[in-house]
Amino acid sequence: MDSTLIAGILSAIATILAVIIGYYLQRPKIQSELLKKDLADNQQLIEPNEALDDYDQRYLDYPSHYRFVKGLPQLYLAVCKNAQEGWDTGITGDMRQANYDVIDFLEYVWLRLAKFYPENHWDGKTAQAYIQNYLQERFIFHRSKYEPNGPGTGGTIVYILIGSDVIRDLEELINDTVDSLFMYNDDFDLEAWRKEWRKTITNIQQEN
């Protein structure tokens, strides 16, 4: 194949990927801003993000509805490579923001996976309400864990550690949800997906 044509194809792929990543990372970060502002005060940690569109349930009978799941490991790796610039600065504020960007992305992914379930499936709550409560509890737990002597005693590094642990929580939540959804789907190679998801997480952790 002509080298010019190959270069053009690669350039087009890179452009598309950049647009996708930019879309996820430029979504409103209402939750992240509230977390940064209120976490230290033990106030309400999370307020609802902008409401999703009218409920549009996805179905496992339609491969087009879950095609995005197959690409999640590669997309997540690209998102974290983008966040790596913030993590590498060593500046607390930049590192925290990088964590929040990744948390926002993972929350968005889980909400899309939750579309395979009925609207008020989660203990009678919408997926949006459920994930907000879940994140609030995880932030509180990790902060309490790192500050046994009371709020504010762990220093600013605590906020970076908290964000990293919440990222791990969401990675597992997504893994468990995909497992449950596709364990009996012969058209989805769940074992291959698991390996790729784990490999992606390992690569990200090694970078940090």
Side-chain angles (χ1 to χ4, degrees), residues 182-196:
F182 295 100
M183 65 172 63
Y184 300 118
N185 190 325
D186 294 333
D187 296 323
F188 186 92
D189 192 341
L190 181 57
E191 188 59 33
W193 187 91
R194 286 173 180 153
K195 290 180 180 178
E196 191 170 4

Side-chain angles (χ1 to χ4, degrees), residues 119-201:
E119 185 170 7
N120 295 302
H121 181 75
W122 309 94
D123 194 27
K125 304 181 184 71
T126 64
Q128 183 85 13
Y130 175 82
I131 196 66
Q132 294 290 323
N133 185 67
Y134 173 85
L135 286 171
Q136 177 179 327
E137 291 181 348
R138 299 317 295 165
F139 270 95
I140 291 173
F141 169 75
H142 291 306
R143 181 185 179 181
S144 299
K145 175 183 71 179
Y146 284 121
E147 295 189 320
N149 295 319
T153 60
T156 57
I157 187 64
V158 164
Y159 297 103
I160 298 172
L161 297 175
I162 292 170
S164 296
D165 283 357
V166 172
I167 288 172
R168 302 287 87 80
D169 291 334
L170 285 168
E171 289 170 347
E172 285 302 315
L173 185 66
I174 289 170
N175 182 80
D176 290 348
T177 305
V178 171
D179 268 357
S180 298
L181 284 170
F182 295 100
M183 65 172 63
Y184 300 118
N185 190 325
D186 294 333
D187 296 323
F188 186 92
D189 192 341
L190 181 57
E191 188 59 33
W193 187 91
R194 286 173 180 153
K195 290 180 180 178
E196 191 170 4
W197 184 247
R198 292 297 179 191
K199 180 180 178 181
T200 296
I201 292 172

Side-chain angles (χ1 to χ4, degrees), residues 51-58 112 115 119:
L52 297 177
D53 297 335
D54 291 341
Y55 199 75
D56 182 20
Q57 187 166 345
R58 293 174 181 265
R112 285 300 173 264
K115 288 281 192 177
E119 185 170 7

